[in-house]
C-alpha cells in the first residue's frame, strides 16, 4: 500500500493552554509519549497523533512543548511542517510564550495556520479570538480563521475539524518528484527490527529498498511505516517511520538528515538574507535551526540584511531554504533565506559590502540560477543542482560541467593568443599541452579545453596546435634537406653525427617527428613518412620467409638501419617474426 494525500500540522502555544488536550479530543490519541509528561501534565518533547477527518483526509499532528525551557524541542517539531495550529486559552489569552511561538512561525515563514481558542467553557472566547487574530494578521500567517473550543466538553471540536479541512485543502501541493531530505526527530531501537527513525517527509517519496545517505554513508531502508501501519511507499507530505538496515541507534540522532544520494551538499559556510531587517546589532553567535537540526554558528553581517554564517557542524542545505536564527540570550529569533551554500571568500577591503550588493541584485528563480552560473563561469552540473539551482536552458554542457552562456565563445577567442605566445617561447613545440592551456584559460579541468578548440586550432597528441604550425625556418630548411636525401634513397638514414652536424639535435628531431615530417625508427634512426609502405613494397619481391640479410639487401641499407627498421615493422604488424628468426609479411598489415 502507498501513502499519499496526508497532511501534517504542528501545534504552537503557551504551556497549560491545552494543546495536548485538544489533540486528544481531535484524534482520540495520547500525544504525550513519556510517562513523566502524562504524570505532570506537561509536554516536554514532541508528541505525535493522527486521525482521519470526516472528508476522509488523513491528518497527522506534531504536538510541541509549550514551556519556554523546551523551545529547542518545539523548533524541531515545526521545522518541516507546512501549517500550524495556534492554541491560546480563553481564560489566559496572549502570553509571552505565545508570542515566542508565533515569532518562530513568523520567522519560518509559515503562511497557513488556524487559531484554536481553548477552555471556552471557562471564559468568553470572543475577546481572545479578536485579540489574537489581530496580532497574527501582522505575521506571515496573515488573516487566520479562529475557532472557540472546549476539549473536555467537546464543544467546538466538530467546527475545529471542519476548519482544519478548509485549511488543509488550501495547502500547496508538495513536490513528490523532489529528492528526499528527511530530518530525523526521533530514533529508537525496535526489538527484532533494528533502528527506526521518524520524521516529516516534506517532499519526495521513500520506499522499502531505497538507499539513502546518513552522515556521508549509504544506508538501506528495510521498511516504511506511516500512521502506525506498514506501507510499501510513502509520498510527501507524510509522517513516516523508517526501519534502517545496518545502522545502530547510536549512529543517528535528532537533527540528522536522510538524503537522496548526491542530491545535497553539506555546507559549513553560507550566505543568507534576513527575512526582516534588524534595527539593532545582531549577535555574534546564534543557533541555526532547520528541520529538526540545531547547530551553533558564528554570524558576520555583510551589509543590510545580508549575513554570512559559519556553522559549527555542516548541514545539507540548499539555496531557498528558510532558516531560523535564534539568539538564546535575548530569546529572539530571525528568519533567514539561504542565498548561497558555497560562497566566495571575502579577502579584500570592501568585499563584504560588494557581496551584499551582489546578493541584493540577484533575482530569484531561473533568472537567479543564470546569474549565479554567470558569476561562477563553470561548475559541475551535479554540484549546481545539489546547491539548489536549476540548470539555465542556454548553459553549455561539457561532460559533467556546466559553462555560463557565452563562456565557450570567450574561451575559444582567447585560445589562439595562448597558443601563439607558447610557440614564441618554445618554437620547436607545435603548441601547449592541454594542461598548460587549461591553466592559461583558468579552467578547473583538462576535459573543458576541447570545447574551446576551433579551427584553425586542433588537438593533436595531447596538445593544442595551429593548423599552420610548422618548424622554425632554419630547422625547416635542414629537415627539407634530409627529406630530399630520403626521397632519393628512402632507407639511407643519416647517422647521429650527420644529424648533429646539420643542426638537428634531440629537440629539433622531436619537433620534426611531432610535425609529421620525420619518422623516428629508433634512437638516431630517422626516415621519411611513408617508409612502412615503401619497406613492405620492396619485401614483397623477396621470397618468404626471408632473413634480415635479405631484407637489408632489398632495402639497400646498412645493418644500423635494417635491424631497428625490421623490429619497428614487427611492432606495427607489417612483418611477422618466425621461430627461426626469419620473417614474412603479414597479409593484412597493422
Amino acid at each position: 500500500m502507498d501513502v499519499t494525500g496526508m497532511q501534517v500540522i504542528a501545534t504552537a502555544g503557551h504551556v497549560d493552554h491545552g494543546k495536548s488536550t485538544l489533540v486528544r479530543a481531535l484524534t482520540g490519541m495520547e500525544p504525550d509519549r513519556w510517562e513523566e509528561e502524562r504524570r505532570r501534565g506537561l509536554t516536554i518533547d514532541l508528541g505525535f497523533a493522527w486521525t482521519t477527518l470526516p472528508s476522509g483526509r488523513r491528518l497527522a499532528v506534531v504536538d510541541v512543548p509549550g514551556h519556554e525551557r523546551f523551545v529547542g524541542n518545539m523548533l524541531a517539531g515545526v521545522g518541516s511542517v507546512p501549517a500550524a495550529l495556534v492554541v491560546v486559552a480563553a481564560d489566559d489569552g496572549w502570553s509571552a510564550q505565545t508570542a515566542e511561538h508565533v515569532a518562530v512561525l513568523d520567522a519560518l515563514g509559515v503562511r497557513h495556520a488556524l487559531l484554536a481558542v481553548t477552555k471556552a467553557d471557562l471564559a468568553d472566547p470572543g475577546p481572545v479570538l479578536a485579540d489574537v487574530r489581530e496580532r497574527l494578521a501582522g505575521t506571515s500567517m496573515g488573516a487566520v480563521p479562529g475557532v472557540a473550543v472546549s476539549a473536555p466538553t467537546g464543544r467546538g471540536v466538530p467546527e475545529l475539524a471542519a476548519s482544519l479541512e478548509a485549511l488543509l485543502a488550501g495547502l500547496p501541493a508538495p513536490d513528490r518528484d523532489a529528492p528526499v531530505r528527511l530530518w530525523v526527530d526521533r530514533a529508537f531501537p525496535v526489538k527484532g527490527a533494528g533502528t527506526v527513525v521518524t520524521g516529516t517527509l516534506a517532499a519526495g517519496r521513500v520506499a522499502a529498498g531505497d538507499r539513502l545517505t546518513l552522515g556521508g554513508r549509504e544506508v538501506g531502508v528495510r521498511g516504511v511505516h506511516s500512521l502506525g501501519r506498514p506501507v510499501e511507499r510513502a509520498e510527501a507530505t507524510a509522517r513516516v517511520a523508517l526501519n534502517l538496515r545496518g545502522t545502530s541507534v547510536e549512529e543517528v540522532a535528532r537533527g540528522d538528515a536522510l538524503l537522496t544520494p548526491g542530491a545535497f551538499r553539506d555546507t559549513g559556510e553560507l550566505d543568507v538574507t534576513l527575512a526582516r531587517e534588524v534595527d539593532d546589532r545582531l549577535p555574534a553567535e546564534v543557533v541555526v535551526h532547520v528541520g529538526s537540526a540545531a547547530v551553533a554558528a558564528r554570524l558576520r553581517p555583510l551589509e543590510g540584511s545580508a549575513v554570512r554564517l559559519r556553522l559549527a557542524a555542516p548541514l545539507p542545505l540548499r539555496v531557498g531554504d528558510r532558516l531560523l536564527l535564534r539568539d538564546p540570550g535575548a530569546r529572539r529569533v530571525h528568519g533567514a533565506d539561504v542565498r548561497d551554500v558555497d560562497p566566495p571568500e571575502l579577502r579584500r577591503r570592501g568585499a563584504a559590502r560588494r557581496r551584499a550588493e551582489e546578493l541584493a541584485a540577484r533575482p530569484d528563480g531561473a533568472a537567479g540560477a543564470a546569474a549565479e552560473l554567470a558569476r561562477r563561469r563553470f561548475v559541475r552540473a551535479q554540484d549546481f543542482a545539489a546547491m539548489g539551482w536549476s540548470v539555465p536552458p542556454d548553459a553549455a554542457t561539457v561532460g559533467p560541467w556546466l559553462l555560463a552562456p557565452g563562456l565557450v565563445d570567450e574561451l575559444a577567442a582567447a585560445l589562439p593568443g595562448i597558443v601563439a605566445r607558447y610557440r614564441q617561447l618554445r618554437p620547436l613545440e607545435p603548441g601547449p599541452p592541454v594542461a598548460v592551456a587549461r591553466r592559461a584559460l583558468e579552467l578547473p579541468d583538462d576535459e573543458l579545453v576541447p570545447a574551446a578548440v576551433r579551427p584553425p586550432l586542433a588537438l593533436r597528441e595531447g596538445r593544442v596546435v595551429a593548423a599552420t604550425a610548422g618548424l622554425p625556418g632554419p630547422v625547416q630548411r635542414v629537415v627539407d634537406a634530409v627529406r630530399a636525401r630520403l626521397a632519393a634513397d628512402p632507407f639511407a638514414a643519416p647517422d647521429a653525427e650527420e644529424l648533429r652536424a646539420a643542426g638537428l639535435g634531440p629537440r629539433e628531431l622531436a619537433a620534426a617527428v611531432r610535425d609529421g615530417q620525420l619518422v623516428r625508427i629508433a634512437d638516431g634512426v630517422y626516415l621519411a613518412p611513408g617508409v612502412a609502405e615503401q619497406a613492405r613494397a620492396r619485401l614483397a619481391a623477396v621470397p618468404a620467409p626471408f632473413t634480415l640479410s635479405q631484407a637489408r639487401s632489398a632495402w639497400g641499407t646498412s645493418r644500423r638501419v635494417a635491424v631497428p627498421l625490421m623490429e619497428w615493422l614487427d611492432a606495427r604488424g607489417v612483418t611477422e617474426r618466425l621461430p627461426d628468426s626469419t620473417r614474412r609479411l603479414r597479409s593484412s598489415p597493422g
Side-chain angles (χ1 to χ4, degrees):
M1 182 185 70
D2 292 350
V3 170
T4 57
M6 182 198 307
Q7 269 93 19
V8 185
I9 65 168
T11 63
H14 182 63
V15 65
D16 293 333
H17 279 201
K19 295 189 301 299
S20 299
T21 303
L22 184 61
V23 171
R24 281 192 293 271
L26 183 66
T27 67
M29 297 181 66
E30 172 57 69
D32 288 336
R33 296 181 290 113
W34 310 114
E35 181 181 349
E36 179 185 0
E37 292 179 307
R38 292 190 289 270
R39 176 170 48 81
R40 295 171 58 187
L42 173 67
T43 299
I44 297 171
D45 204 351
L46 301 178
F48 308 97
W50 54 86
T51 189
T52 300
L53 296 173
S55 67
R57 190 189 306 271
R58 288 171 294 186
L59 170 67
V61 182
V62 181
D63 188 31
V64 306
H67 198 285
E68 64 185 67
R69 285 188 297 150
F70 307 116
V71 65
N73 289 346
M74 179 267 181
L75 286 163
V78 300
S80 302
V81 175
L85 177 62
V86 180
V87 179
V88 182
D91 63 343
D92 194 10
W94 186 268
S95 68
Q97 195 61 34
T98 307
E100 185 170 9
H101 278 208
V102 168
V104 164
L105 299 176
D106 186 32
L108 290 173
V110 175
R111 299 188 179 279
H112 305 274
L114 175 64
L115 170 63
V117 175
T118 58
K119 304 186 181 181
D121 55 326
L122 302 181
D124 181 6
V128 174
L129 273 168
D131 175 58
V132 176
R133 291 191 67 207
E134 183 178 352
R135 294 174 186 267
L136 295 179
T139 70
S140 62
M141 292 168 277
V144 174
V147 179
V149 62
S150 169
T153 66
R155 172 189 166 188
V157 173
E159 290 78 6
L160 177 65
S163 296
L164 283 170
E165 294 268 22
L167 172 70
L168 300 177
L171 292 181
D175 184 358
R176 290 173 179 147
D177 294 323
V180 169
R181 180 175 53 178
L182 181 72
W183 296 100
V184 175
D185 51 40
R186 289 180 66 203
F188 52 91
V190 173
K191 188 174 181 180
T195 299
V196 173
V197 300
T198 68
T200 299
L201 185 64
R205 50 176 64 91
V206 63
D210 283 355
R211 303 291 296 178
L212 301 173
T213 59
L214 174 67
R217 64 185 183 88
E218 277 203 5
V219 298
V221 178
R222 177 183 292 171
V224 182
H225 279 64
S226 186
L227 306 187
R229 296 179 298 170
V231 296
E232 294 177 5
R233 180 177 65 176
E235 296 188 341
T237 304
R239 283 293 304 174
V240 297
L242 305 184
N243 178 206
L244 302 182
R245 180 180 290 109
T247 302
S248 68
V249 74
E250 291 79 16
E251 295 176 289
V252 59
R254 175 176 291 173
D256 290 340
L258 286 160
L259 310 168
T260 295
F264 295 85
R265 69 188 306 276
D266 282 345
T267 182
E269 191 170 37
L270 61 151
D271 286 344
V272 304
T273 52
L274 300 177
R276 289 191 175 88
E277 293 231 16
V278 180
D279 296 331
D280 53 356
R281 187 181 181 86
L282 288 166
E285 297 185 356
V286 295
V287 179
V288 174
H289 294 266
V290 57
S292 61
V295 173
R298 296 282 300 174
L299 184 150
R300 176 183 177 180
L302 300 179
E303 188 175 79
S305 62
V307 170
R308 176 156 294 186
L309 297 174
R310 181 165 293 167
L311 305 178
L315 289 171
L317 300 176
R318 279 185 156 198
V319 171
D321 284 343
R322 171 60 68 94
L323 310 180
L324 186 140
L325 313 182
R326 182 166 65 95
D327 178 1
R331 293 179 62 183
R332 296 181 59 189
V333 293
H334 306 282
D337 294 312
V338 175
R339 302 298 303 280
D340 196 338
V341 295
D342 183 27
E345 294 184 6
L346 303 176
R347 291 180 174 177
R348 298 181 180 179
R349 182 184 298 274
R353 175 183 52 79
R354 288 191 295 273
R355 177 60 174 160
E357 292 171 351
E358 187 177 75
L359 292 173
R362 191 177 69 196
D364 295 326
E372 181 63 13
L373 182 56
R375 182 184 74 81
R376 293 180 179 275
R377 300 179 72 228
F378 39 74
V379 63
R380 289 187 180 274
Q382 184 176 6
D383 291 343
F384 200 61
M387 293 176 197
W389 297 109
S390 59
V391 176
D394 54 351
T397 302
V398 179
W401 293 91
L402 291 178
L403 279 71
L407 179 58
V408 174
D409 292 338
E410 177 186 327
L411 297 172
L415 194 52
I418 293 170
V419 173
R421 286 192 297 274
Y422 187 90
R423 294 210 69 218
Q424 285 177 348
L425 296 172
R426 301 170 179 82
L428 289 176
E429 297 185 27
V434 167
V436 173
R438 184 257 304 166
R439 289 193 293 270
L441 292 171
E442 299 181 340
L443 295 173
D445 198 297
D446 288 358
E447 64 185 329
L448 291 173
V449 174
V453 177
R454 296 176 180 174
L457 299 183
L459 284 174
R460 185 188 303 158
E461 298 178 353
R463 292 175 178 267
V464 183
V465 302
T468 57
L471 300 174
V475 176
Q476 185 65 59
R477 286 191 289 273
V478 176
V479 171
D480 287 344
V482 171
R483 292 192 59 173
R485 170 179 170 175
L486 293 171
D489 190 349
F491 306 101
D495 62 26
E497 185 59 35
E498 289 177 301
L499 292 171
R500 280 195 298 272
L504 293 181
R507 293 177 65 245
E508 289 78 10
L509 288 167
V513 170
R514 282 195 300 266
D515 202 45
Q517 298 193 46
L518 292 177
V519 177
R520 182 182 181 276
I521 303 301
D523 190 21
V525 179
Y526 292 85
L527 297 173
V531 67
E533 292 77 11
Q534 291 174 308
R536 178 183 175 83
R538 293 201 184 183
L539 291 175
V542 179
F546 48 82
T547 65
L548 176 62
S549 178
Q550 290 173 307
R552 182 169 67 83
S553 297
W555 294 331
T557 189
S558 65
R559 185 176 178 83
R560 176 185 69 85
V561 175
V563 171
L565 177 57
M566 184 61 76
E567 293 174 350
W568 186 80
L569 293 170
D570 288 343
R572 279 151 184 78
V574 177
T575 55
E576 179 183 10
R577 182 171 180 166
L578 302 176
D580 61 356
S581 295
T582 60
R583 264 87 168 183
R584 67 184 176 192
L585 290 173
R586 289 184 181 271
S587 59
S588 179

